[in-house]
């Protein structure tokens, strides 16, 4: 028996102002996108901004539905919009920010499992680690460089191939 240790690296910033300008701009785009979220059931408004390799920024936000599971998270809305409108363009970064009308979101919001799986596939297509920047409505920002840090040992397309 061998023990395999998995490690994650998270860069924690006290304030958005501590990030490079390109990252601040991307997070501010996510904060703006939050404003158009449709979240009448959770009151939890999430925005996502995807940066493509040609500098294009694609926005998304959560879109809820009265049949709850029919809704979609901000991250997948943004990534699928990028895939649909800019096919073949590599995804460099995604910024995520969340706001609630019921309480202050002081901790960075990490993507749900389904969004991590979708990110993982776009990362593989992009052939480079995807940087993920996460924040709440106030407080600090967490940054990870690559899905490996939040979705280690992921199921991916290689698993479908006969070895
Ligand atoms: N949500 C997102 O859009 N992204 C996340 O990372 C976490 C959760 C949405 C889904 C739902 O509309 C609401 O937030 C509450 O879960």
């Amino acid at each position: 028996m061998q023990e395999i240790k998995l490690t994650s690296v998270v860069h924690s910033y006290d304030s958005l102002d501590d990030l490079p300008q390109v990252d601040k701009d991307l997070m501010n785009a996510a904060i703006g996108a939050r404003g158009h979220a449709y979240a009448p059931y959770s009151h939890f408004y999430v925005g996502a901004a995807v940066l493509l390799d040609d500098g294009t920024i694609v926005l998304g936000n959560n879109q809820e539905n009265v049949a709850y599971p029919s809704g979609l998270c901000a991250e997948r809305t943004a990534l699928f919009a990028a895939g649909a409108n800019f096919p073949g363009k590599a995804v460099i970064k995604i910024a995520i920010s969340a706001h609630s009308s019921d309480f202050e979101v002081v901790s960075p919001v990490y993507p749900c499992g389904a969004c991590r799986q979708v990110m993982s596939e776009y990362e593989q297509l992009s052939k480079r680690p995807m940087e993920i920047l996460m924040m709440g409505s106030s407080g600090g920002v967490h940054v990870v460089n690559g899905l490996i840090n939040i979705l280690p040992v992921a199921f991916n397309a290689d698993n479908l191939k006969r070895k």
Side-chain angles (χ1 to χ4, degrees), residues 37-48 61-65 68 71-77 96-98 109-113 115-116 119:
Y38 175 64
Y41 306 106
S42 70
H43 308 146
F44 195 72
Y45 304 86
V46 188
N61 38 50
N62 51 330
Q63 296 294 318
E64 296 186 348
N65 189 278
Y68 291 4
L72 197 65
C73 293
E75 296 90 327
R76 274 176 290 164
T77 303
I96 305 154
S97 172
V109 168
Y110 277 59
C112 78
C115 287
R116 293 179 199 202
M119 288 173 173

Side-chain angles (χ1 to χ4, degrees), residues 78-102:
L79 285 166
F80 290 153
N85 294 295
F86 303 95
K89 292 262 174 264
V91 175
I92 313 269
K93 299 172 189 245
I94 181 169
I96 305 154
S97 172
H99 158 87
S100 168
S101 49
D102 300 335

Side-chain angles (χ1 to χ4, degrees), residues 7-54:
T7 47
S8 297
V9 177
V10 177
H11 302 270
S12 177
Y13 296 86
D14 289 340
S15 157
L16 184 55
D17 289 331
D18 299 335
L19 273 81
Q21 192 61 44
V22 62
D23 293 348
K24 266 198 265 191
D25 290 348
L26 196 67
M27 187 57 83
N28 280 322
I31 291 169
R34 227 167 60 182
H36 301 299
Y38 175 64
Y41 306 106
S42 70
H43 308 146
F44 195 72
Y45 304 86
V46 188
V50 170
L51 178 67
L52 302 179
D53 62 354
D54 65 353

